[in-house]
Amino acid sequence: MIGSMTNKPHYDVVIATPGKMFHAEYVKSLIETTKWLNEQGLTYHLIGKAGSFIPTTRELTALDAYSDKWDTKEIGAGEFTYGKVFWIDSDIEWDVEAFKKVYESDLDFVGGLYQIHPNGRVAVAFEDSEGFPKVINEADFIMLDPEEPIECFGIGFGFVAMKQGVFESCDRPWFKIEHIRWPHLDFDTNIGEDYSFSINARRNGIKTYVMPNVKVKHHKEIVYELR
């Protein structure tokens, strides 16, 4: 409906992957996912740009252009409409079931779990009693209901999705780095472009959620795989 009213192409799913190098397991996962999308009659579009500064690279990927289109707040710079945009990093491996769970979620901004450190740390932060982001390990989810999405302070962009309207509601630059003054330091530190986007979204009335029952693999020097 939206696409026909605006005469723009409409995609059920946009998959955004920054960078120019793709892990072989990412490619295999993407092929299986596009097969499933085709079987379901769902349309999709792939976007991605490369660069040396991660926040800018994500910004360009979201715009689907190598340009400084700061006058738009639309994914793809308004060249198309879409249902959901998935951000999947090029070193992530996932299965179709993980993709389906996130795609079928009614939440505006939600993602899965993946490991980022050999000690079990995952790319999710909760808020501590003083309002600071708290590092989370896989073990921290044991006492929580793994079948229910959990609201969080922020989530990594390795495997996450948003409905159309989330990016469009957020301030530009979307990935402007936020800084925090920790109690034990006398200077500010940045919290990364993905958690910064989560703060941007929250300022604009959009909550961030993680699905503990969606676990994907993260390929670094070793393969991080949650149990």
Side-chain angles (χ1 to χ4, degrees):
M1 177 64 71
I2 296 176
S4 61
M5 291 175 61
T6 61
N7 294 318
K8 297 178 182 178
H10 178 77
Y11 305 105
D12 296 303
V13 178
V14 172
I15 298 176
T17 301
K20 58 184 177 181
M21 303 289 289
F22 303 93
H23 195 283
E25 298 305 323
Y26 167 94
V27 176
K28 292 178 183 177
S29 299
L30 181 63
I31 291 172
E32 291 303 312
T33 299
T34 55
K35 284 170 56 179
W36 177 78
L37 290 168
N38 286 326
E39 290 168 359
Q40 302 303 308
L42 297 171
T43 56
Y44 57 89
H45 180 59
L46 308 179
I47 58 177
K49 292 292 178 283
S52 58
F53 183 51
I54 294 175
T56 300
T57 301
R58 289 205 184 277
E59 205 85 18
L60 298 178
T61 295
L63 293 171
D64 196 24
Y66 283 115
S67 70
D68 54 353
K69 294 183 177 179
W70 300 112
D71 58 338
T72 180
K73 294 176 70 175
E74 296 181 271
I75 292 286
E79 294 298 318
F80 53 80
T81 61
Y82 64 98
K84 281 193 175 181
V85 56
F86 269 77
W87 286 82
I88 307 179
D89 282 348
S90 60
D91 55 3
I92 294 292
E93 175 187 354
W94 71 97
D95 59 29
V96 172
E97 191 60 32
F99 188 93
K100 285 171 58 178
K101 286 179 180 177
V102 177
Y103 176 73
E104 293 171 355
S105 170
D106 288 331
L107 294 168
D108 292 328
F109 181 5
V110 62
L113 279 177
Y114 60 97
Q115 191 172 335
I116 57 174
H117 193 277
N119 67 5
R121 191 166 76 233
V122 293
V124 177
F126 287 148
E127 207 167 55
D128 68 15
S129 59
E130 297 181 356
F132 291 99
K134 177 184 177 183
V135 171
I136 297 297
N137 289 342
E138 182 188 6
D140 295 314
F141 287 92
I142 292 176
M143 301 302 294
L144 304 173
D145 185 348
E147 297 304 316
E148 292 297 325
I150 303 167
E151 186 178 351
C152 54
F153 174 92
I155 190 168
F157 265 54
F159 195 80
V160 66
M162 300 90 167
K163 291 181 180 178
Q164 179 164 17
V166 172
F167 268 80
E168 291 77 7
S169 298
C170 290
D171 302 324
R172 296 288 313 275
W174 289 304
F175 296 97
K176 179 181 179 180
I177 296 293
E178 298 283 341
H179 294 81
I180 288 180
R181 177 68 60 93
W182 299 93
H184 63 289
L185 298 175
D186 61 358
F187 56 86
D188 294 344
T189 59
N190 78 67
I191 61 169
E193 87 291 346
D194 39 19
Y195 289 170
S196 294
F197 182 89
S198 298
I199 292 175
N200 188 350
R202 186 159 56 251
R203 285 175 178 157
N204 288 282
I206 300 162
K207 297 178 179 179
T208 306
Y209 290 86
V210 61
M211 300 179 75
N213 62 342
V214 174
K215 298 179 180 180
V216 299
K217 298 178 183 179
H218 189 198
H219 289 265
K220 291 297 186 184
E221 292 79 9
I222 62 172
V223 179
Y224 292 143
E225 182 176 5
L226 296 167
R227 294 185 295 276

